[in-house]
């Protein structure tokens, strides 16, 4: 654009006063050309700036989307999370996060949310998102490593039943959410937990789909368990037996699936009511739902099936009709978690489908 001004500028001779007309015309041409060049330059610059700004906006939006997918975004939005300690308001997508509960880890894995810190010595293989790096170990499910936590500086710490007693110590390091499952109403409690995790990490739609998977299986299983006899939930721990009622972590068999309790007087205790083989023979359940604790925690001992294979248990209707359902290790370690629901509901549905 500037090349148009050069001939006009050079044709004007300031020292020649004898040719005013010749001086005026080239000067006017030069000024006009310069003015149009400036306007064109401003227009180009404005257009380029707009394109650059739009490009930056698109890039920032893409970066934000990527960060949300990796739960690393810095968000000004907040979420109210329902916890044992009451409502806790937290910024969405806190990162890094530490989780000391296998139920919560299982749900977060199903939601494809990365966890940065976890306990050591976990026995399940469905506790982290497929594409995330291995989380750092920051203690056990019973005892946190406070030094490692301080070094990590998490934005949120999520705990469940086994770590709940350390709430105060953990709260001094970062906002801590006690999201323990209420075993007296495991269905509603686990549903609330999944909903809150979805909201906290911007995965509400995915959380809803996961809950629909659970609810669909519950409905199908309920149709099969109706009028098919009573049941008893027992845990086998080595050679010891304990029974669980409808208010326990395994109570969903009775409260959600509608299997009547063979014994309505089972004591509500964290580790169940100790019982004997004679108890099983006397109560004579139509169905046995069995948790193999030793297998769940990796202990080398006789399996639950071998322990129950004795003359007294053989007299029960459950054993005679092959109506013994072995619940997943998740039912002991991650009760109320997404995978626990899917695995145990599927096992129960399959067993009742085959019942005669």
């Amino acid at each position: 654009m500037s090349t148009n001004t050069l001939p006009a500028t050079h044709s004007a001779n300031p020292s020649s006063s004898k040719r005013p007309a010749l001086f005026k015309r080239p000067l006017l041409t030069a000024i006009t050309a310069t003015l149009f060049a400036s306007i064109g330059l401003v227009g180009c610059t404005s257009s380029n700036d707009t394109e650059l700004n739009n490009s930056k906006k698109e890039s920032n939006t893409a970066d934000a989307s990527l960060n949300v997918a990796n739960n690393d975004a810095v968000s000004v939005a907040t979420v109210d999370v329902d916890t044992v300690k009451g409502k806790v308001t937290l910024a969405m997508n806190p990162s890094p996060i530490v989780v000391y509960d296998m139920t919560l880890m299982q749900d977060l894995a199903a939601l494809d949310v990365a966890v940065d810190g976890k306990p050591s010595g976990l026995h399940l293989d469905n506790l982290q998102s497929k594409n995330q790096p291995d989380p750092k170990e920051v203690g056990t499910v019973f005892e946190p490593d406070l030094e490692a936590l301080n070094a990590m500086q998490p934005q949120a710490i999520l705990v469940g039943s086994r770590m709940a007693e350390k709430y105060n110590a953990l709260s001094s390091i970062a906002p801590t959410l006690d999201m323990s499952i209420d075993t007296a109403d495991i269905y509603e409690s686990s549903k609330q937990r999944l909903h809150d995790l979805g909201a906290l990490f911007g995965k509400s739609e995915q959380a809803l789909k996961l809950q629909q998977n659970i609810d669909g299986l519950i409905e199908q299983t309920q149709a099969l368990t109706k009028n098919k006899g009573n049941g008893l939930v027992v845990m086998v721990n080595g050679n010891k037996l304990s029974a669980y009622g409808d208010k326990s972590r395994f109570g969903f068999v009775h409260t959600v699936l509608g299997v009547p309790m063979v014994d309505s007087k089972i004591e509500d205790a964290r580790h169940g009511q100790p019982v004997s083989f004679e108890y099983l023979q006397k109560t004579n359940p139509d169905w046995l739902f069995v948790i193999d604790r030793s297998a769940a925690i990796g202990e080398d001992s006789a399996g639950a099936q071998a322990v129950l294979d004795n003359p007294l248990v053989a007299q029960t209707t459950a054993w005679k009709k092959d109506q013994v359902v072995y619940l997943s290790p998740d039912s002991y370690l991650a009760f109320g978690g997404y995978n626990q629901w899917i695995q145990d509901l599927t096992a129960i549905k399959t067993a009742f489908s085959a019942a005669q």
Side-chain angles (χ1 to χ4, degrees), residues 48-69:
N48 290 340
D49 285 347
T50 302
E51 291 177 5
L52 181 60
N53 288 335
N54 289 338
S55 176
K56 285 182 178 179
K57 287 179 181 177
E58 291 174 3
S59 176
N60 290 340
T61 301
D63 288 345
S65 299
L66 179 62
N67 284 339
V68 168

Side-chain angles (χ1 to χ4, degrees), residues 284 313-324:
N284 188 27
V313 178
Q315 296 177 42
T316 64
T317 300
W319 198 268
K320 289 177 182 178
K321 299 180 88 171
D322 196 23
Q323 294 182 164
V324 180

Side-chain angles (χ1 to χ4, degrees), residues 244-261:
Y244 289 83
D246 57 359
K247 293 181 175 59
S248 72
R249 59 187 125 165
F250 313 109
F252 72 93
V253 169
H254 308 296
T255 59
V256 176
L257 301 181
V259 179
M261 293 173 61

